[in-house]
Amino acid sequence: MTRRVRYERYAGVYYAYPKPKERETPVPEGYNPFYLSHYGRHGSRWMSKEEHYTWIAQHFNDEQNLTDFGLQLKERLQPAFENAKGNAGKLTPLGVRQQRDIAKRMYQRIKTVFEEKDVTVSARSSVSPRCIDSMDAFVQQLRKQNPHLNITEEADERYLHYIAYTSPEEEVLERDTIVRCSVTGERLAKSLFKDTEKICEQDRLLTELHNMASTMQNIPLPYSYWDIFTEEEIKAVYDMNNTRMRLVNGIDPFNRDIPARCASSLWRNIVETADSVIAAGMKSATLRFGHDTCLYHLLSLLHFFADMPNMMDEILPMAANLQILFYRNDNGHVIVKFLHNEKELRWKDDYLSSDIVPYYDWQEVKQQFQHWLNEEQTTV
């Protein structure tokens, strides 16, 4: 058990959402919350497709070619294979709990908003079942906190142009970006198979087994597979996955702002929706549920984590989210605070400054990213 806990963070984007521990900075005097804008990744899931499990399993069909360790691993993997049947890509029970817990803390964070009479909450999701189920779990928790909330839930393809948009140039970037692992799968293959020449894709087997080991923390089984790797292998696959995620979806000169451009329609929706709420003088919340890459695109557009090392367990764990909290004073002045995974975000002063960090003037935030509001979704 100690070994499993030790390596959980090497799961990267498979890392189960950690409960936030940081205390939040008090709201400046005279300001009160009135609106919240949110984008959240779905919660913990099984591996995305059943083919991942079946592809691994087929390597253990020929027992005559398995070493003693290979036979042991086959037996250990069987419960996970059985558990995954019919569940690939789905939200796990842990994923449901994550969304409920985030919703509960969100409610407490701006309780005065959610307890207002006839407060409207708009919840929209990607059409992916795990995103819809994440939205349902989140909304159910809010209703439990206040049954009188006026909540609408929608999952419709007409919202995908901002909730889950991937441009053609992003698809090309993803297809053409190749990152090599610093180790091969040869050692692992030799530990499992007598004749390794029968194993044609040893490097892929290393990464697929790493992904499976990473996923185990998200599913309802008390098993761990980290012990089949060396520490070097665990870190090498983690580094490879993180590097590729940054190159394809984050901030890096290599990608020429292609990922950020993918989020321009999402940022436009965030700004326009917030401004309509401000103009109406109302109190409400807007919830959006999508995927890790789409959230990373938005974080890249907003220039967060530009200098952060490749640590997807910090940036994009399961149920990762960005919350924008809006406050105003009696004069109608609006300030905002950005929370990433419920931790306060700050820009460097030379990028966007504020006398009340981590709170920022909403007009100055919009001005800083005004060019993205005019960005058209790019085609190639």
Side-chain angles (χ1 to χ4, degrees):
M1 183 63 68
T2 301
R3 188 174 180 83
R4 180 182 67 84
V5 172
R6 179 184 176 189
Y7 290 114
E8 278 180 345
R9 281 192 170 272
Y10 287 98
V13 297
Y14 283 110
Y15 183 51
Y17 190 80
K19 184 177 179 180
K21 298 178 181 179
E22 295 183 10
R23 299 185 64 178
E24 294 184 27
T25 305
V27 181
E29 187 175 352
Y31 289 86
N32 295 294
F34 68 94
Y35 176 59
L36 181 142
S37 186
H38 158 278
Y39 188 97
R41 182 192 184 191
H42 58 77
S44 286
R45 61 163 169 79
W46 281 268
M47 285 201 288
S48 58
K49 297 179 180 179
E50 193 155 337
E51 297 89 87
H52 291 293
Y53 295 98
T54 56
W55 188 87
I56 294 172
Q58 71 183 9
H59 289 78
F60 295 85
N61 289 338
D62 182 7
E63 292 192 355
Q64 297 299 316
N65 192 39
L66 294 178
T67 64
D68 289 343
F69 184 60
L71 289 168
Q72 293 171 16
L73 182 59
K74 178 180 180 177
E75 184 177 353
R76 291 171 58 193
L77 288 171
Q78 200 57 40
F81 293 147
E82 292 296 326
N83 179 265
K85 286 181 179 178
N87 285 322
K90 293 182 180 179
L91 196 69
T92 67
L94 176 59
V96 171
R97 292 198 300 273
Q98 290 163 348
Q99 298 295 345
R100 288 175 178 170
D101 289 345
I102 294 169
K104 187 184 302 182
R105 291 190 292 268
M106 175 188 287
Y107 187 96
Q108 291 301 320
R109 187 173 290 116
I110 54 170
K111 192 174 181 179
T112 56
V113 174
F114 287 121
E115 289 187 339
E116 286 279 327
K117 185 178 180 181
D118 297 326
V119 170
T120 60
V121 178
S122 168
R124 290 176 179 174
S125 165
S126 139
V127 294
S128 167
R130 59 181 173 270
C131 295
I132 296 172
D133 290 343
S134 291
M135 175 175 66
D136 288 342
F138 203 102
V139 165
Q140 286 172 16
Q141 182 60 46
L142 291 181
R143 287 198 175 106
K144 183 178 180 181
Q145 301 290 113
N146 181 1
H148 303 293
L149 286 172
N150 180 17
I151 304 177
T152 59
E153 288 184 75
E154 300 175 274
D156 196 300
E157 290 188 359
R158 61 184 169 150
Y159 303 129
L160 295 184
H161 71 281
Y162 68 87
I163 286 181
Y165 178 70
T166 299
S167 68
E169 62 177 354
E170 172 70 10
E171 292 176 351
V172 172
L173 175 67
E174 183 172 354
R175 183 195 67 200
D176 293 346
T177 301
I178 299 174
V179 178
R180 304 293 182 187
C181 189
S182 62
V183 300
T184 71
E186 183 180 3
R187 187 218 59 85
L188 179 63
K190 286 182 177 179
S191 73
L192 299 173
F193 308 104
K194 296 175 181 177
D195 183 359
T196 57
E197 289 188 3
K198 293 182 178 181
I199 311 303
C200 299
E201 298 181 81
Q202 297 178 16
D203 293 349
R204 180 185 172 188
L205 183 60
L206 169 65
T207 58
E208 291 284 1
L209 282 169
H210 188 287
N211 290 341
M212 188 166 179
S214 299
T215 307
M216 296 307 295
Q217 61 188 287
N218 298 298
I219 69 174
L221 285 179
Y223 301 116
S224 172
Y225 303 121
W226 291 117
D227 62 291
I228 71 175
F229 311 103
T230 65
E231 187 160 329
E232 182 185 16
E233 289 166 345
I234 291 173
K235 292 181 177 179
V237 177
Y238 170 77
D239 289 340
M240 177 189 68
N241 290 338
N242 286 342
T243 298
R244 190 177 192 283
M245 181 63 82
R246 189 200 74 233
L247 292 177
V248 174
N249 299 291
I251 297 176
D252 193 279
F254 169 81
N255 62 42
R256 309 182 307 283
D257 286 335
I258 290 174
R261 282 199 291 277
C262 284
S264 61
S265 56
L266 175 56
W267 177 239
R268 189 180 306 117
N269 176 264
I270 289 171
V271 170
E272 291 176 353
T273 305
D275 282 349
S276 67
V277 170
I278 293 169
M282 60 192 294
K283 293 185 177 182
S284 66
T286 303
L287 311 175
R288 307 168 186 86
F289 296 87
H291 305 269
D292 55 351
T293 53
C294 302
L295 175 57
Y296 203 7
H297 297 164
L298 177 60
L299 293 170
S300 299
L301 181 152
L302 294 172
H303 209 74
F304 288 125
F305 307 114
D307 302 319
M308 184 175 181
N310 301 334
M311 296 174 63
M312 294 307 126
D313 45 301
E314 289 283 348
I315 301 174
L316 296 169
M318 295 291 182
N321 57 88
L322 180 70
Q323 299 178 28
I324 311 173
L325 282 65
F326 289 72
Y327 307 81
R328 76 180 142 213
N329 61 14
D330 291 340
N331 296 324
H333 183 245
V334 176
I335 60 174
V336 293
K337 177 171 71 170
F338 288 74
L339 297 179
H340 168 255
N341 297 342
E342 303 175 82
K343 299 176 184 177
E344 294 172 343
L345 286 171
R346 294 165 171 80
W347 283 287
K348 288 186 175 181
D349 287 343
D350 61 355
Y351 190 80
L352 184 60
S353 62
S354 171
D355 294 332
I356 51 174
V357 170
Y359 298 87
Y360 295 85
D361 180 280
W362 175 233
Q363 294 300 324
E364 292 182 2
V365 171
K366 287 196 298 180
Q367 184 60 39
Q368 180 70 18
F369 302 104
Q370 179 65 34
H371 61 290
W372 290 118
L373 299 179
N374 304 320
E375 181 73 30
E376 295 297 327
Q377 292 178 342
T378 306
T379 59
V380 294

